[in-house]
């Protein structure tokens, strides 16, 4: 039997871009459903329960950022932003608002497809990790149930804060997490303006789990935005 196609809701007000993306997604085996407004997009996501959502930030009836925030009140699957806005502040705002990834226009279809593959693996990996209580990445093993971390079978001692930071990143592998998101998750809302905490703890984590902390394989920096646990 053929595997079910990945269902995507595309929310984009430009009809030319929308037609191009729908055709490209269909050719590459996805099942796209299109909407030209935020209101229509909300209805489609509610009705179709898609595997992921692609949304433009410049929608005619509601900003894409506000739409993402509304979706994140209940929708937990990947959201990819497509936008002509290239400012770092816009990317951070979208990611802080709940987006998983951000792709600037103009873009190549191969790059978009690569981002969608990452989102698919992220979703599958998260489900598998939730089911098994284990997160594996190369030689790294995180046993969530036992709160135990190993590299090549050897136990790695982490402080409670280091463990929490690693777990937050690894459980959402492939997703860019902003400084504010990580600070809120690991240190609490009172510390979202303390990015120096992250630099100190990230340096310590890399020393403990990376083969070469200066050239990390897993704990990657997204300059000016945050960090990402590699999906490879």
């Amino acid at each position: 039997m053929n595997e079910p196609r990945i269902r995507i809701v595309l929310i984009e007000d430009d009809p030319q871009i929308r037609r191009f993306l729908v055709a490209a997604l269909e050719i590459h085996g996805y099942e796209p459903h299109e909407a030209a407004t935020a209101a229509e997009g909300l209805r489609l996501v509610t009705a179709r329960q898609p595997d992921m959502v692609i949304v433009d930030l410049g929608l005619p009836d509601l900003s894409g950022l506000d739409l993402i925030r509304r979706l994140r009140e209940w929708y937990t699957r990947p959201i990819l932003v497509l936008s002509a806005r290239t400012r770092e502040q816009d990317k951070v705002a979208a990611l802080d608002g709940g987006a998983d990834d951000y792709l600037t226009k103009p873009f190549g279809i191969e790059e978009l497809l690569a981002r969608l593959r990452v989102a698919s693996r992220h979703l599958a990996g998260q489900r598998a990790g939730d089911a098994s209580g284990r997160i594996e990445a190369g030689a790294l093993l995180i046993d969530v149930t036992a709160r135990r971390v190993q590299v090549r079978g050897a136990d790695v001692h982490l402080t409670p804060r280091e463990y929490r930071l690693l777990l937050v990143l690894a459980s959402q592998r492939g997703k860019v997490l902003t400084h504010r998101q990580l600070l809120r998750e690991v240190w609490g809302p009172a510390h979202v303006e303390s990015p120096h905490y992250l630099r100190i703890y990230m340096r310590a984590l890399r020393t403990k789990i990376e083969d070469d902390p200066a050239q990390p394989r897993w704990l990657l920096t997204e300059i000016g935005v945050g960090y990402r646990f590699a999906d490879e």
Side-chain angles (χ1 to χ4, degrees):
M1 293 178 63
N2 293 329
E3 292 186 8
R5 295 196 298 169
I6 293 175
R7 187 181 299 119
I8 296 175
V9 166
L10 168 65
I11 309 170
E12 164 65 63
D13 67 322
D14 186 313
Q16 287 186 312
I17 294 177
R18 204 167 59 245
R19 284 195 296 270
F20 166 72
L21 287 174
V22 166
L25 291 171
E26 287 178 339
I27 288 171
H28 288 88
Y30 294 94
E31 180 187 321
H33 301 270
E34 57 184 298
T37 66
E40 187 182 354
L42 275 171
R43 287 194 296 271
L44 263 181
V45 175
T46 302
R48 297 290 183 177
Q49 295 291 308
D51 299 292
M52 59 187 74
V53 173
I54 300 174
V55 59
D56 182 20
L57 291 185
L59 298 171
D61 55 337
L62 184 72
S63 79
L65 184 55
D66 286 336
L67 173 59
I68 291 167
R69 288 172 177 149
R70 288 193 185 182
L71 286 171
R72 281 299 182 226
E73 293 175 1
W74 58 274
Y75 183 77
T76 60
R77 295 174 182 177
I79 297 176
L80 171 65
V81 168
L82 295 181
S83 178
R85 302 175 191 176
T86 59
R87 296 187 312 161
E88 189 175 283
Q89 302 97 303
D90 293 316
K91 296 179 182 180
V92 170
L95 293 164
D96 269 341
D100 292 83
D101 204 352
Y102 193 109
L103 188 58
T104 55
K105 300 175 182 177
F107 57 88
I109 192 63
E110 290 302 325
E111 183 178 7
L112 173 62
L113 293 170
R115 302 293 184 101
L116 294 178
R117 288 193 294 272
V118 168
S120 299
R121 292 196 298 270
H122 167 216
L123 185 60
Q126 193 172 29
R127 288 169 174 166
D130 289 344
S132 68
R134 294 159 63 96
I135 300 172
E136 297 185 55
L140 174 67
L141 169 65
I142 304 171
D143 188 329
V144 180
T145 304
R147 293 181 64 86
R148 186 180 189 182
V149 177
Q150 294 182 321
V151 175
R152 295 187 182 85
D155 287 338
V156 177
H157 174 71
L158 300 180
T159 68
R161 196 82 73 180
E162 289 169 350
Y163 175 80
R164 176 64 181 160
L165 178 57
L166 177 62
L167 183 61
V168 169
L169 284 162
S171 64
Q172 301 191 65
R173 59 189 304 176
K175 176 178 178 178
V176 179
L177 297 174
T178 68
H179 298 121
R180 290 176 65 88
Q181 285 174 314
L182 288 168
L183 288 164
R184 188 184 303 115
E185 286 286 333
V186 180
W187 281 271
H191 297 280
V192 295
E193 303 297 339
S194 305
H196 59 283
Y197 288 168
L198 272 177
R199 290 193 295 270
I200 293 168
Y201 277 83
M202 190 61 67
R203 189 181 307 123
L205 261 183
R206 284 170 171 162
T207 299
K208 292 180 179 182
I209 71 168
E210 297 280 7
D211 290 335
D212 182 358
Q215 299 288 330
R217 178 183 178 188
W218 301 112
L219 300 173
L220 306 181
T221 299
E222 297 289 337
I223 297 174
V225 177
Y227 296 94
R228 171 171 59 88
F229 193 94
D231 184 75
E232 56 184 43

